[in-house]
């Protein structure tokens, strides 16, 4: 953490802003001069992680790949090698979305923000793809991601601060739209969002608690720069949101500190890239892992950085199967230390038995030993120091000790187990309730000109629009390749799917960012559809009607008709 960030944190603590301590702890634990760019797995068990690290070349000893285990402790794999990469593919560039607050409360701060952005963006950065989004009482769509700084600077020049009565800033809506735009960006490299605002929000439809959960679950860091006249008193929640996303929070009190904060977030030059290679034995026939962690130990005294990796890596083989087959067939011999300890215990037991034996018995044994001087070398005795141990007696002592320990363990276990008295009535076990099964209605088979059902969207300011389901499989999302294209910022590129099979329509979510809702409940599995059901994708709601319903007939004859959300 830089000296400037420490000073801004102390200033926030002195002003009594809550929630910053968590942000500082998270930033300190997560901040690292290293960034994971891409992950590849040419074959199961061979993993290559491409990273960017400024400064000296990192050593292989500093990297560890931590793979989670279902029922066991995580498997830690040490790096084998670290090699420098001369140039990365263009699609591995870092996608950066700059969100600028131009609401009425930021009217006097907008000129300083524009000057700082143009100063930082003047230097070419081929390792970045930058988009710009300005918001106030409205939330327009962000610009495309540009590889050159000229169109971004032109977009910065076009920012105009709002005038008039303040009180309708939609900060939370803008952050939600910005994170969705980053998630849908067609880039394979890292993605991050940088917001410059005073932290005020009065007009968003997205609640603070909902946005906190979304930022934590998406895994994309959000760096927040608080700037403006109200920033010192209104940015406590902004600091909390930054910590939820593992991002950084900075309070900039002057135009120069604002420019410095932007340089810290974007960097002044591309950092060198390296390929870190790992190898481990993969488990055959096991589903791939959904996540892993790259552990980077920057140096002595510094806490290790944990970098989340969301990729389908092969699951590691259990420890028993990773051993060589020949070692399993060979019985391991006890170590000398263990053998010596066992022999010493046996010698002590035998010595005690000899002391407790009658004198006549000890005299007889002495005479027998003197009569057979070769008995000690025939293998029936073991000499440890000055104590001679009979093998048979030692074996009997070991068996006795083992039996005593078994009886003691059984008694302790029985004591801990509570046995109810015979006359104590046992409570009847509750019967497991079966979950209700949703049965779908019967729809006709879809074909061109003969839809199985209609999806009707009743607009509040426009006439209703309809979509006729004339295919067995209807893809829904923001991508132009879908059958039903949604002009909604809260809809993912591949959002949901409606499938017809044996007279039934089935609805399923395709892992969208904001979810699919059926009659107000989030869809977590495949659901059947009935006439009258209401389906919500993002902020757009559609009603399921039969094809012969006279309330709304499709005017598109099977073509896609959709209404953008105002």
């Amino acid at each position: 953490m830089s000296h400037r960030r420490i000073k801004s944190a102390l200033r926030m603590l002195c002003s009594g802003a809550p929630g910053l301590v968590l942000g500082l702890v998270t930033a300190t634990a997560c901040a690292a001069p290293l960034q994971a760019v891409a992950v590849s797995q040419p074959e199961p068990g061979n993993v290559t992680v491409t990273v960017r690290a400024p400064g000296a070349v990192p050593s292989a000893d500093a990297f560890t790949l931590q793979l989670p285990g279902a029922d066991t402790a995580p498997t830690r794999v040490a790096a084998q090698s670290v090699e420098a990469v001369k140039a990365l593919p263009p699609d591995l560039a870092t996608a950066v979305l700059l969100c600028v607050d131009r609401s009425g409360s930021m009217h006097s701060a907008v000129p300083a923000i524009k000057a700082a952005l143009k100063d930082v963006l003047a230097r070419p950065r081929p390792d970045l793809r930058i988009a710009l989004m300005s918001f106030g009482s409205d939330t327009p769509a962000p610009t495309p991601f540009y590889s050159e700084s000229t169109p971004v600077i032109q977009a910065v020049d076009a920012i105009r601060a709002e005038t008039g009565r303040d009180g309708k800033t939609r900060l939370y809506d803008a952050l939600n739209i910005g994170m969705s735009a980053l998630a849908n960006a067609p880039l394979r490299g890292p993605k991050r969002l940088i917001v410059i605002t005073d932290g005020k929000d009065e007009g968003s439809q997205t609640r603070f608690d909902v946005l906190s959960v979304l930022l934590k679950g998406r895994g994309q860091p959000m760096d927040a720069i608080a700037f403006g006249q109200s920033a010192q008193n209104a940015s406590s929640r902004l600091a909390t949101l930054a910590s939820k996303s593992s991002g950084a929070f900075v309070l900039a009190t002057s135009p120069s500190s604002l420019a410095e904060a932007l340089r810290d977030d974007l960097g002044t030059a591309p950092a060198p890239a390296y390929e870190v290679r790992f190898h481990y034995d993969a488990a055959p026939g096991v589903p791939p892992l959904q996540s892993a962690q790259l552990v980077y130990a920057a140096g002595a005294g510094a806490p290790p950085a944990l970098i989340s990796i969301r990729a389908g890596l092969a699951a590691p083989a259990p420890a028993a199967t990773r051993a060589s087959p020949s070692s399993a067939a060979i019985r391991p011999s006890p170590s000398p230390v263990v053998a010596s300890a066992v022999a010493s215990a046996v010698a002590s037991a035998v010595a005690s038995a000899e002391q407790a034996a009658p004198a006549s018995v000890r005299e007889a044994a002495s005479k027998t030993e003197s009569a057979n001087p070769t008995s000690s070398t025939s293998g029936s005795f073991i000499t440890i120091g000055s104590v001679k141990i009979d093998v048979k007696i030692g074996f009997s002592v070991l068996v006795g000790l083992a039996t005593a320990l078994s009886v003691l363990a059984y008694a302790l276990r029985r004591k801990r187990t509570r046995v109810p008295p015979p006359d104590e009535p046992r409570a009847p076990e509750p019967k497991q309730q079966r979950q209700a099964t949703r049965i779908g209605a019967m729809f006709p088979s879809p074909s061109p000109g003969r839809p199985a059902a209609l999806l009707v969207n009743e607009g509040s300011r426009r006439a209703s629009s309809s979509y006729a389901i004339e295919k067995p499989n209807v893809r829904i999302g923001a991508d132009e390749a879908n059958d039903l294209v949604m002009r909604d910022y809260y809809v993912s590129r591949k959002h949901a799917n409606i499938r017809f099979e044996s007279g039934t329509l089935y609805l399923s979510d395709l892992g969208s960012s904001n979810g699919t809702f059926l009659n107000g409940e989030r869809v977590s599995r495949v659901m059947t559809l009935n006439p009258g059901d209401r389906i919500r994708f993002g902020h757009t709601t559609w009603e399921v009607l039969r094809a012969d319903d006279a309330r709304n007939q499709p005017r598109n004859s099977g073509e896609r008709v959709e209404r953008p959300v105002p």
Side-chain angles (χ1 to χ4, degrees):
M1 184 177 294
S2 65
H3 181 63
R4 175 185 52 80
R5 293 178 185 252
I6 296 177
K7 290 196 299 182
S8 65
L10 293 175
R11 191 179 296 110
M12 287 290 292
L13 288 175
C14 294
S15 64
L20 184 61
V21 175
L22 177 61
L24 286 176
V25 173
T26 305
T28 303
C30 299
L34 182 132
Q35 185 182 38
V37 177
V39 180
S40 62
Q41 185 176 220
E43 56 185 18
N46 290 330
V47 179
T48 301
V49 182
T50 304
V51 300
R52 285 189 180 274
V57 180
S59 63
D61 298 337
F63 293 96
T64 304
L65 184 63
Q66 187 166 289
L67 305 173
D71 301 323
T72 59
T75 301
R76 294 175 175 83
V77 183
Q80 290 187 332
S81 62
V82 174
E83 297 182 3
V85 180
K86 294 183 179 180
L88 291 177
D91 60 342
L92 290 182
T94 302
V96 179
L97 178 58
L98 299 172
C99 291
V100 179
D101 188 351
R102 52 172 173 78
S103 60
S105 61
M106 297 287 291
H107 186 273
S108 59
V110 168
I113 294 176
K114 294 171 63 176
L117 285 174
K118 290 190 290 185
D119 179 51
V120 174
L121 296 175
R123 183 187 298 270
R125 291 297 301 276
D127 59 321
L128 300 180
R129 299 294 182 269
I130 302 177
L132 182 69
M133 174 183 177
S134 62
F135 64 92
S137 59
D138 59 342
T139 53
T143 67
F145 287 89
Y146 295 110
S147 59
E148 299 179 356
S149 58
T150 301
V152 183
I153 294 177
Q154 293 176 354
V156 171
D157 285 330
I159 296 177
R160 296 292 181 269
E162 293 183 348
T163 58
R165 182 176 179 271
D166 184 40
K168 297 182 180 180
T169 307
R170 298 175 60 183
L171 170 62
Y172 301 156
D173 285 347
L175 294 179
N176 195 7
I177 293 174
M179 298 301 283
S180 298
L182 273 177
N184 295 327
L187 295 172
R188 295 190 298 127
K191 300 175 181 179
R192 59 190 306 184
L193 184 145
I194 301 175
V195 58
I196 307 174
T197 177
D198 58 3
K200 297 178 64 175
D201 181 279
E202 303 93 352
S204 290
Q205 297 180 1
T206 305
R207 300 198 310 269
F208 173 77
D209 54 345
V210 175
L211 182 61
S212 300
V213 175
L214 292 176
L215 289 175
K216 186 176 181 180
R218 284 177 176 171
Q220 299 172 356
M222 184 201 76
D223 296 337
I225 303 176
F227 183 71
Q229 294 181 352
S230 305
Q232 190 166 354
N233 299 323
S235 58
S236 60
R237 286 196 166 188
L238 187 66
T240 303
L241 292 176
S243 68
K244 291 289 184 180
S245 66
S246 300
F249 172 82
V250 175
L251 176 62
T253 57
S254 63
S256 60
S257 62
L258 172 63
E260 185 180 355
L262 286 172
R263 291 189 188 95
D264 285 351
D265 288 335
L266 296 177
T268 57
Y274 304 94
E275 287 186 348
V276 186
R277 292 183 172 86
F278 301 88
H279 175 74
Y280 59 91
D281 295 333
V286 179
L289 303 175
Q290 299 300 322
S291 63
Q293 282 187 329
L294 178 66
V295 183
Y296 174 63
L306 301 179
I307 303 173
S308 298
I309 295 177
R310 297 188 176 184
L313 301 181
T321 59
R322 286 199 297 266
S324 60
S326 59
S327 62
I330 301 174
R331 188 183 184 93
S333 59
S335 64
V337 177
V338 175
S340 176
V342 173
S344 299
V346 175
S348 301
V350 174
S352 301
E354 288 179 353
Q355 294 295 331
S360 59
V361 175
R362 292 199 300 270
E363 184 179 355
S366 177
K367 291 181 179 179
T368 304
E369 182 178 353
S370 60
N372 292 319
T374 60
S375 61
S376 60
T377 59
S378 62
S380 60
F381 285 86
I382 299 177
T383 302
I384 301 178
S386 61
V387 181
K388 293 184 178 180
I389 303 173
D390 192 327
V391 175
K392 294 182 179 180
I393 296 177
F395 180 79
S396 301
V397 171
L398 288 178
V399 172
L401 289 175
T403 305
L405 291 176
S406 300
V407 172
L408 179 61
Y410 176 78
L412 292 176
R413 183 178 180 184
R414 184 178 180 86
K415 184 178 180 180
R416 287 196 300 265
T417 305
R418 179 180 179 271
V419 180
D423 56 345
E424 181 179 346
R426 291 179 176 270
E429 296 183 359
K431 295 183 179 179
Q432 188 175 5
Q433 299 292 334
R434 297 183 60 188
Q435 296 182 353
T437 302
R438 177 183 170 92
I439 302 176
M442 296 297 293
F443 293 93
S445 178
S447 61
R450 302 181 62 183
L454 302 178
L455 297 179
V456 179
N457 175 23
E458 294 290 345
S460 58
R461 290 181 290 178
R462 300 183 185 180
S464 63
S465 58
S466 308
Y467 179 81
I469 301 178
E470 298 180 349
K471 298 174 59 178
N473 188 37
V474 176
R475 299 169 299 172
I476 303 169
D479 197 282
E480 294 293 338
N482 292 293
D483 301 299
L484 177 55
V485 181
M486 304 290 294
R487 309 298 185 186
D488 189 328
Y489 296 130
Y490 297 91
V491 173
S492 302
R493 290 191 299 167
K494 297 179 180 179
H495 197 101
N497 181 76
I498 296 179
R499 173 173 54 88
F500 175 85
E501 184 177 343
S502 301
T504 305
L505 291 176
Y506 297 93
L507 172 67
S508 58
D509 185 82
L510 302 180
S512 60
S513 299
N514 295 313
T516 302
F517 294 83
L518 176 62
N519 297 327
E521 296 183 2
R522 186 157 186 162
V523 176
S524 59
R525 55 186 177 86
V526 179
M527 303 291 291
T528 58
L529 296 178
N530 290 301
D533 285 346
R534 299 179 67 83
I535 312 172
R536 178 163 64 86
F537 312 106
H539 284 179
T540 308
T541 303
W542 299 79
E543 184 179 359
V544 181
L545 298 179
R546 291 190 179 275
D548 55 357
D549 196 325
R551 289 184 296 169
N552 198 327
Q553 293 293 338
R555 301 168 303 178
N556 57 336
S557 299
E559 298 178 357
R560 297 179 297 182
V561 177
E562 57 278 348
R563 179 178 64 84
V565 176

